[in-house]
Amino acid sequence: HFMIGKRKWPTVEHYFQAQMFVGTENEASLISKINQSDVPYRAVQIGKGNKSKARPDWETVKDQVMKDGIREKFIQNLEIQKLLLETGEKKLIYEPPNDTYWGVNK
């Protein structure tokens, strides 16, 4: 878990999906639903299932939203921060089977 603003997030995926709805008329209900989802995949389903309700600037801001979430996760969780730092100069690769945006196969 990590905090951004006044909210505690279970994962960066939960945070990322929820930010899609900041400033929209569905903000409160969708962000709450995403934050309370039991697994990251469910947060993705909620986000993608409501993409038509996303904030108008989402495509412009989503990379920064992801960077902010990842940064805060590692700043606030010293154990995983240590593990990341121990990788040194090694190249880290994210290679999910179905991610054409964030994954190495984009």
Side-chain angles (χ1 to χ4, degrees):
H1 288 90
F2 63 99
M3 296 281 297
I4 294 186
K6 296 180 180 180
R7 192 178 292 264
K8 188 174 187 179
W9 298 99
T11 69
V12 173
E13 190 67 64
H14 285 79
Y15 169 74
F16 179 78
Q17 294 298 326
Q19 298 315 294
M20 190 183 312
F21 305 103
V22 169
T24 68
E25 66 181 60
N26 302 95
E27 176 177 4
S29 62
L30 286 172
I31 289 177
S32 179
K33 191 174 183 180
I34 289 168
N35 197 20
Q36 294 172 19
S37 61
D38 56 346
V39 292
Y41 179 72
R42 182 69 186 123
V44 172
Q45 287 179 317
I46 296 165
K48 287 186 176 182
N50 289 281
K51 198 160 186 158
S52 65
K53 300 173 186 172
R55 56 197 272 187
D57 66 345
W58 181 241
E59 292 301 317
T60 303
V61 301
K62 69 182 181 182
D63 287 4
Q64 187 62 50
V65 167
M66 182 62 82
K67 289 176 188 178
D68 293 345
I70 290 171
R71 182 182 56 249
E72 290 303 317
K73 173 184 172 177
F74 283 97
I75 286 172
Q76 296 175 36
N77 293 277
L78 298 180
E79 188 174 313
I80 62 170
Q81 181 188 95
K82 182 178 182 274
L83 290 172
L84 178 62
L85 291 172
E86 287 173 355
T87 64
E89 297 297 317
K90 293 179 184 167
K91 185 175 183 177
L92 303 178
I93 298 173
Y94 177 63
E95 192 173 16
N98 299 315
D99 191 335
T100 58
Y101 187 80
W102 300 107
V104 72
N105 295 319
K106 68 177 186 177

